């Protein structure tokens, strides 16, 4: 074989084709793989933006090629034996870059097509520089050809849409070169090893050798080996005095984190987590031949290991232990470089404990206020890395940190912005559940509460006072306005901490009031003091919580700061950009997600161009009567556009409900941590004790909301599961539910969850759990479910939680498919 380092530009240049053979698996990359690639791309873009063209490029992996059947002197064709996933992804990214650039540079289409995507003078399928396997071919060709047909309902289309959404977010109108850098990185700074085998060679034996299953050395292992290679005479002494104590102090994962943090403190934003070994190797090369300096390097590692241990396990008598504990529970590892620098200055007597505490108060406020205001966390890492390197020990450090975090472009919300966010922002979607509880705990402590809130207690949950599911009683309290429910249900003013969430559920406010009044938490007693609970009460409480938050978490230095915009629509744009192909959402769902009302959402989308805005329909699944394209000269028929994009309509002109993406699903697509926690709690400590009570609650709600026939069908499904010797687990959350489960490594796994009205298929949960992290198995399950009459789950929902109505199980054909799907699930597990 022949192996050489190459780039995408060199690999696809000239009149040639890379052909993925029919026996290869289809395209399988999903958001986790795409996000990792995008992060690597952005890291390289940052280097170019800093003028560091000579910095190391990113190694993406290997590509194994064998001569193709059409290989001839006049044209070059190669079979892709290995590497088709990354090659397909890079080509889809180029398609997205081309389509994004066309608006500003019409010539970009022909330039990128002819240089990188197509063979202009070839005909038929030889026209495409890359030709995926048959399953993905139509969707891929549609992306290359720039037509919406065929992109829908495929992982290829999902990947294309992912890059479109990332580019929209990344594109900075003030930087005319940012998209050119994206193109440059894709083509020239993602290195590949091209392995070319001869026509008669066993390409699969080589593939097997490349993808060996041996246990690889970790980056810390490699650093350790390199260090002691540099210590031929002092190795034992350095190992006994520094390296071994460091390993006893930190576990393997934390050791890797330490090595990364040290690189950050040495080189700031240039540090890369996936290049820790290379970074430390470069540090050691500068010490080559001087064992005393290498020993000093290891001694410094040990000192910094003690600092990291202090951050992760602060002693109670430390004056600023409370702040460190809060940041640890928050999992604010992005702030660790700055904290490591502060501890270094503290050890050198440049800063006192009270100054460390004040500085950490600003750090805590910065991340908490941003979370409450719904600011993305994507740039936190870079902000704290840059600040850690810039700090001068001779400065007034608390003031320096506050000033550095205060520019408007860093989005540290002012008191006015925080107050508005508490009133209007959907806090329940922001951050992880643990972070939301921390915010509520801090607010509770500010009331002088004597009852300590133990957030490790699984019974402590976040309670919606106004419930997520409206009942007639609650709708009456809102004077019949469902829009008010969507606008305020997830805001901070409507949320509290409770140890009996499942008991409260959708109960009337009178019932909740009695329970909350008995709570030891002051915030619950305050809620119980109200006689009713609606918009006015939620806003009044929000105002009080905002005042407390402003006192607990001091804001930025506003001197000379630019005025804030009237509203941040970033989450709206991200949600629409994340819509999978062949799906639609509604103004109501988007309003619920961002904490607004459908009317201002509609007004905004009518006046500002936004990707996929035409796929926002009214609640019934029809385009708004006032819909207009942003371009006044655009006379396309909206129905024809939606049909071409794969959205089906019934005889009444309503879009298919199977293709609808709800507010919850939008939040899950964006991976808003709060939404990821909405999946039913998998296990509880009092599971056996409370299961009978939960079963009764589920059966009662099931009969009330789905009727006796559907309830009987659900019970027969559960009875069939039990007769086969398997377990059923009843849910603990507000809406009663149950799931036929199989315990795998002590954790319950399920493919179906029954609620009072619906049957949910939790693909979003399965994708992270073996064996269903294999896309092919989830697809097998989807295809079986779609064989039932009236069930049509699109591919776009293989990462989400699609559902059907319980009443559909009355149809024996649907019932039989659900039984078959559960049997298939059990067999695969």
């Amino acid at each position: 074989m022949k192996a050489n380092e190459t780039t995408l530009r060199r690999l696809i240049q000239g009149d040639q084709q890379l052909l993925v053979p029919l026996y290869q698996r289809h395209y399988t990359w999903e958001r986790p793989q795409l996000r990792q690639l995008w992060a690597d791309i952005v890291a390289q873009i940052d280097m170019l933006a800093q003028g560091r063209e000579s910095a190391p490029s990113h190694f993406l992996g290997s590509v194994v090629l064998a001569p193709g059947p059409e290989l001839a002197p006049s044209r070059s064709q190669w079979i892709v034996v290995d590497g088709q996933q990354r090659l397909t992804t890079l080509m889809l990214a180029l398609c997205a870059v081309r389509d994004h650039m066309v608006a500003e540079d019409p010539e970009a289409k022909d330039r990128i097509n002819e240089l990188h995507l197509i063979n202009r003078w070839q005909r038929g399928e030889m026209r495409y520089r890359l030709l995926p396997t048959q399953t993905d071919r139509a969707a891929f060709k549609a992306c290359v050809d720039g037509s919406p047909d065929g992109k829908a309902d495929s992982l290829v289309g999902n990947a294309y849409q992912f890059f479109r959404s990332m580019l929209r977010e990344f594109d900075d109108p003030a930087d005319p070169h940012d998209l050119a850098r994206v193109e440059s990185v894709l083509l020239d700074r993602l290195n590949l090893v091209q392995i070319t085998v001869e026509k008669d060679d066993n390409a699969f034996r080589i593939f097997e050798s490349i993808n060996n299953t041996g246990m690889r050395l970790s980056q810390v292992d490699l650093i350790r080996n390199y260090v002691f290679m540099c210590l031929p005479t002092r190795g034992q002494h350095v190992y006994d005095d520094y390296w071994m104590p460091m390993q006893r102090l930190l576990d393997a994962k934390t050791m890797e984190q330490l090595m990364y943090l040290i690189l950050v403190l040495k080189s700031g934003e240039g540090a890369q987590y996936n290049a820790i070994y290379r970074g430390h190797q470069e540090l050691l090369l500068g010490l080559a031949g001087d064992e005393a300096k290498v020993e000093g390097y290891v001694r410094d590692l040990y000192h910094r290991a003690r600092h990291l241990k202090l951050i992760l396990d602060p002693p109670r008598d430390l004056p600023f232990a409370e702040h460190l504990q809060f940041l640890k529970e928050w999992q604010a590892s992005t702030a660790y470089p700055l904290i490591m620098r502060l501890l270094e200055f503290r050890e050198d007597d440049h800063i006192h404990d009270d100054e460390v505490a004040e500085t950490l108060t600003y750090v805590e406020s910065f991340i908490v206020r941003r979370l409450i205001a719904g600011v993305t966390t994507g740039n936190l890492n870079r902000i704290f890395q840059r600040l850690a390197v810039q700090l001068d020990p001779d400065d007034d450090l608390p003031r320096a940190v506050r000033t550095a975090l205060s520019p408007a472009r860093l989005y540290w919300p002012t008191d006015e912005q925080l107050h508005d966010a508490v009133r209007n922002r959907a806090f329940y979607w922001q951050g992880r559940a643990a972070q939301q509880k921390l915010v509520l705990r801090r607010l509770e402590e500010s009331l002088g509460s004597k009852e300590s809130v133990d957030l490790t207690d699984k019974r402590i949950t976040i309670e919606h006072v106004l419930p997520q599911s409206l009942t007639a009683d609650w709708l009456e309290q809102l004077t019949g306005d469902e829009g008010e429910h969507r606008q305020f249900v997830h805001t901070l003013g409507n949320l509290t901490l409770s140890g009996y969430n499942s008991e409260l559920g959708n109960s009337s406010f009178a019932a909740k009031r009695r329970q909350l009044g008995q709570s030891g938490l002051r915030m619950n007693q305050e809620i119980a003091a109200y006689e009713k609970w609606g918009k006015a009460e939620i806003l009044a409480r929000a105002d009080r919580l905002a005042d407390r938050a402003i006192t607990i978490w001091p804001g930025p230095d506003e001197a000379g700061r630019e005025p804030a915009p009237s509203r941040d629509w970033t989450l709206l744009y991200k949600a629409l950009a994340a819509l999978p192909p062949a799906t639609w959402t509604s103004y109501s769902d988007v309003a619920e997600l961002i904490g607004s009302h459908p009317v201002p959402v509609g007004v905004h989308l009518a006046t500002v161009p936004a990707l996929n805005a035409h796929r926002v329909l009214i609640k019934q699944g029809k385009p708004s009567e006032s819909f207009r394209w942003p371009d006044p000269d655009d006379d396309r028929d909206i129905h024809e556009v939606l049909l071409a994009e794969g959205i089906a309509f019934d005889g009444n002109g309503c879009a298919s409900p199977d293709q609808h993406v709800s507010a919850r699903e939008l939040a899950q697509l964006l991976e808003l941590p709060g939404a990821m926690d909405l999946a039913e709690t998998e296990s509880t400590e009092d599971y056996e004790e409370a299961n009978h009570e939960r079963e009764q609650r589920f059966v009662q709600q099931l009969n009330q909301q789905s009727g006796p026939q559907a309830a009987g069908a659900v019970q027969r499904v559960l009875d069939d599961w039990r007769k086969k010797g398997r377990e059923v687990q009843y849910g603990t959350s507000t809406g009663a539910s149950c799931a036929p489960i199989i315990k795998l490594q002590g954790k319950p796994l399920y493919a179906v969850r029954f609620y009072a009205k619906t049957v949910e298929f939790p693909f979003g949960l399965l994708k992270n759990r073996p064996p269903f992290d294999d896309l092919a198995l989830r697809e097998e399950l989807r295809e079986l479910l779609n064989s039932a009459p009236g069930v049509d789950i699109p591919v776009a929902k293989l990462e989400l939680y699609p559902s059907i109505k319980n009443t559909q199980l009355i149809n024996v054909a649907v019932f039989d498919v659900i039984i078959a799907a559960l049997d298939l699930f059990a067999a695969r597990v």
Side-chain angles (χ1 to χ4, degrees), residues 59-226:
F59 175 62
L60 195 58
S62 59
V63 177
V64 180
L65 304 177
E70 298 293 330
L71 186 65
S74 60
R75 58 179 172 267
S76 179
Q77 187 189 62
W78 298 90
I79 299 291
V80 182
V81 177
D82 185 36
Q84 61 128 334
Q85 303 289 335
R86 59 181 67 95
L87 286 177
T88 305
T89 306
L90 293 176
M91 298 295 269
L92 290 171
L94 278 177
C95 291
V97 168
R98 174 200 64 194
D99 295 344
H100 187 89
M101 294 176 82
V102 161
E104 298 292 333
D105 177 14
E107 295 181 358
K109 180 176 181 180
D110 290 339
R111 178 177 61 80
I112 293 178
N113 275 348
E114 295 182 18
L115 286 176
H116 312 304
L117 296 174
I118 64 170
N119 297 312
R120 182 179 179 184
W121 305 111
Q122 295 290 352
R123 294 290 177 265
E125 293 195 329
M126 281 299 295
R127 179 171 174 269
Y128 299 91
R129 298 269 175 107
L130 175 72
L131 199 62
T133 191
Q134 197 70 36
T135 308
D136 301 311
R137 199 163 287 179
F140 180 83
K141 287 161 65 177
C143 291
V144 173
D145 294 339
S147 62
D149 300 332
K151 285 185 210 168
D153 221 13
S154 72
L155 287 177
V156 167
N158 285 358
Y160 170 83
Q161 286 283 6
F162 170 84
F163 288 114
R164 287 299 306 270
S165 64
M166 291 299 102
L167 288 166
R168 191 197 185 290
E169 181 181 339
F170 176 79
D171 191 359
D172 181 0
D175 184 351
H177 306 296
D178 54 352
L179 293 177
R181 293 190 196 104
V182 177
E183 184 182 350
S184 176
V185 167
L186 286 171
L187 292 166
D188 300 313
R189 293 191 64 85
L190 301 178
N191 284 9
L192 298 157
V193 169
Q194 176 186 340
I195 300 173
T196 308
V197 301
E198 300 298 330
K199 197 171 186 68
D200 298 326
D201 282 347
N202 187 334
F204 293 98
R205 180 62 57 84
I206 296 168
F207 167 76
E208 192 174 55
S209 300
I210 293 168
N211 293 276
N212 69 80
T213 57
M215 182 68 73
R216 295 183 178 180
L217 291 173
S218 72
Q219 295 201 77
V220 175
D221 291 332
L222 294 169
I223 293 169
R224 182 196 60 228
N225 294 354
Y226 196 90

Side-chain angles (χ1 to χ4, degrees), residues 605-674:
L605 291 179
T607 54
V608 177
L611 183 66
N612 292 329
H614 64 288
R615 287 200 268 150
V616 183
L617 311 178
I618 64 173
K619 194 174 181 180
Q620 294 75 21
K622 296 181 178 181
S624 168
E625 291 182 2
S626 60
F627 174 81
R628 299 289 184 275
W629 295 103
D631 182 354
D633 296 327
D634 192 338
D635 59 357
R636 289 176 298 163
D637 182 275
I638 180 63
H639 289 90
E640 291 180 3
V641 171
L642 293 171
L643 281 167
E645 292 182 347
I647 294 177
F649 288 86
D650 63 16
N652 297 318
C654 297
S656 168
D658 293 323
Q659 295 173 297
H660 170 246
V661 177
S662 66
R664 173 187 171 183
E665 290 177 319
L666 285 172
Q668 288 162 339
L669 281 169
L670 295 173
E671 297 201 338
L672 299 181

